[in-house]
Each structure stands twice: as structure tokens, then as C-alpha cells.
Amino acid sequence: MDTLFFAHRGSSHKYSENTRAAYLQAIDEGADGIECDVHLSKDGLVVCHHDPTVDRTSDSTGLVAEYTLAELKAMDFTGVVPSVLPAGYGAENEQLLSLDELFELIEAHGKSVGLAIEIKHPSPYGHLLEKTVLQVLAAHGFDPQTGTAGSRGQISVTLMSFEPNSLRYLARTVNTSLLCQLMTEIHPERVQQLIDSGDLVRAGVYEVLYRSVAEGIELINAGGAGIIGCGVAWTRANEHLVRRWLEQGLKARVWTIDRPADAQFLVGLGVGELTSNRPAELRKELEQG
């Protein structure tokens, strides 16, 4: 198939998201790409983790930004999808990775793979997050014009964010064809509800998600991002807009696709990249269908 399958936070249906095991499973299954999320730790290192807090994904609580990498590694991140870790997939205290370690893991396996890095905002460090990500990429041979990285140019890097200002910052040095504007539908009442409840961390995240649509459409139309990164529900609701962008030559990477019916719809629409928690199974189901 011409369709590319990206493993959403690794093969996160089998092993807990954004862990060494999930990434290794994705590589072993032959995923075309790996999607990861990044924050800065207290000691200024780029950490692969989705939420701004560790509450949902670990045996601890608190903001990622309030812990050093060593402190984060001491936590257990295997509980989201409880499973026995195979030999070679690392012990429980080896599951959380820095972005630098994720590059090393991919290098060690020698396979050509895409790496879609989602930069998470709001960040207490502002654009220091983007700056540090670019420093890690440079250390691994990243070409900001072509997106190639790795010792043999075997890693194809793209950068994603819901925050349009993140992509505007990256576009100063990175080819916009490598930038993906993420979008999903959030109602403003939800943001206000979170503020009223005192959950300011989630309120900040939802405010970015809410702005991602109007500002994201504007950014894409202005040529500020070469990849459309919308959710499947948003894609179905805005099919005419996605079709127009595809006709203009933009790429689309739609998430999170676990049902064959959604995948078939998107492939028929002309979407070339699907992000899935179960990329190997989804590919097989489409090929057999």
C-alpha cells in the first residue's frame, strides 16, 4: 500500500504509550513511522510524554516540568496498558525515554522510519522547548530542509503542534513542508468549565486545542504548514476543506485511526498517512479488505 502507518505514541495498544516497549513494538511490527510527544523536564531535557502531568500515566503525580529526567525515570509508566515486558524491551524503570534516547533506540535497530514529534503546549518554558528540540535534532544530523536525520539519513523527521505559534517559531529555520498543524474541535464552554473547576493545567491545554482550528486553518492557508494533522471526526465534518487542501498538494496525517471503516474512508479521500494505536493490525485489515 502507498498509505503510511504511524504508531500513535508507539504501538500503544500493546504497551503503555510513549514507552520504550511501545516504540520497540512499533519498529518490530514494521510501522512506517513513530509519533511521540515531548515536554521539557526540570533539568531542561526533552522528555517523551503526552500529558503535562504524570498523574494518568505513572505511579506518581505532578507536572513533568517539575521533575528531572532521573526523577521521571524512577517512576513506573507501564500501568496504562498493563502487560509483561518482553526480554529486550527494557525493565520497568527503563520505559520513559528522552528524545535523545529515542533517536538512539531507532539508530540501534537500523531501520528507515519516520519520526513525528508533537511539541506540547502550553509549556512553562515557552519556546525554549522548540529550541531544545532543535538542538537534539541537530545532534542527530537533522537537515531542516529535507527532514532527514540519523547516521545514514534513515530517519525522516516532521514536527507537529496544536499551537500555531510553535510552528511559526519552527518555520524560522525548518522547511514548512516538515511542519504539521494539528487540529481538533473543542467547544469554548469546555475551557471555561475547566477554569471554573480550578483545573488550570487542563484549561491551558484545552485553550490551545480550541485556538488550533481557526488559527490553524489560517496558518495552513498562508503556507505555514505543509501537513494537515486533523482528527478523524474533524476530517469527516470538514471533508470539503480537507479535499481542497489535498488538491493543493498538501499532505494529510489523520489521527487516531483504529477502525478499518475510518481508514478506508480516509484512504478514499486521498489521505496518505494514518496515525494508529495498532498500525500493524490496521494495515493488515486494509490489505485483506
Side-chain angles (χ1 to χ4, degrees):
M1 296 183 67
D2 294 333
T3 309
L4 299 181
F5 293 80
F6 278 71
H8 183 237
R9 309 176 198 173
S11 287
S12 52
H13 69 307
K14 288 190 176 178
Y15 300 104
S16 295
E17 63 186 63
N18 282 316
T19 58
R20 180 188 299 271
Y23 297 140
L24 285 171
Q25 181 69 26
I27 294 172
D28 289 345
E29 287 179 343
D32 299 298
I34 293 170
E35 184 264 350
C36 70
D37 312 277
V38 295
H39 294 271
L40 277 185
S41 64
K42 184 178 181 179
D43 47 348
L45 299 173
V46 184
V47 176
C48 297
H49 188 264
H50 181 269
D51 299 359
T53 72
V54 298
D55 298 41
R56 179 181 64 86
T57 54
S58 81
D59 59 351
S60 188
T61 61
L63 293 169
V64 173
E66 293 178 345
Y67 290 103
T68 66
L69 178 60
E71 290 169 337
L72 289 165
K73 283 181 172 292
M75 302 174 190
D76 182 0
F77 286 91
T78 63
V80 177
V81 181
S83 54
V84 177
L85 298 175
Y89 275 25
E92 287 185 0
N93 64 349
E94 297 176 314
Q95 292 306 307
L96 181 119
L97 299 180
S98 67
L99 182 59
D100 185 64
E101 290 171 325
L102 178 54
F103 267 99
E104 292 174 353
L105 182 149
I106 295 172
E107 280 275 9
H109 279 68
K111 295 181 180 179
S112 296
V113 67
L115 181 59
I117 303 169
E118 181 181 343
I119 296 176
K120 305 298 288 187
H121 277 287
S123 169
Y125 298 103
H127 288 316
L128 181 60
L129 173 56
E130 285 87 355
K131 182 179 179 181
T132 311
V133 167
L134 291 174
Q135 289 172 346
V136 174
L137 293 178
H140 291 275
F142 175 65
D143 183 333
Q145 293 305 306
T146 66
T148 58
S151 59
R152 298 179 290 103
Q154 76 276 27
I155 305 172
S156 300
V157 175
T158 51
L159 297 161
M160 313 185 294
S161 187
F162 283 98
E163 175 56 78
N165 286 328
S166 176
L167 300 189
R168 293 187 185 103
Y169 180 90
L170 291 167
R172 298 176 185 178
T173 52
V174 178
N175 192 314
T176 56
S177 67
L178 306 176
L179 303 181
C180 178
Q181 174 64 55
L182 298 171
M183 291 182 291
T184 190
E185 200 68 62
I186 295 290
H187 297 292
E189 312 87 74
R190 180 59 177 148
V191 179
Q192 191 59 50
Q193 287 170 359
L194 290 168
I195 293 173
D196 294 342
S197 71
D199 192 346
L200 299 184
V201 173
R202 289 180 70 203
V205 172
Y206 274 64
E207 190 272 334
V208 170
L209 299 181
Y210 173 64
R211 288 192 297 103
S212 71
V213 176
E215 292 188 31
I217 291 173
E218 181 180 347
L219 182 75
I220 291 168
N221 287 337
I227 308 171
I228 313 154
C230 32
V232 62
W234 194 94
T235 303
R236 286 186 178 275
N238 297 273
E239 181 180 340
H240 66 290
L241 187 54
V242 175
R243 282 189 184 277
R244 190 184 79 195
W245 282 331
L246 291 171
E247 289 168 359
Q248 292 172 352
L250 297 178
K251 293 182 179 180
R253 179 185 300 145
V254 180
W255 51 274
T256 302
I257 315 305
D258 290 337
R259 299 191 310 140
D262 286 331
Q264 290 165 352
F265 162 73
L266 293 167
V267 171
L269 188 61
V271 172
E273 300 180 4
L274 306 179
T275 301
S276 175
N277 295 311
R278 48 191 296 275
E281 290 89 340
L282 187 64
R283 186 202 303 271
K284 185 176 181 180
E285 288 164 357
L286 284 188
E287 289 175 343
Q288 292 176 343

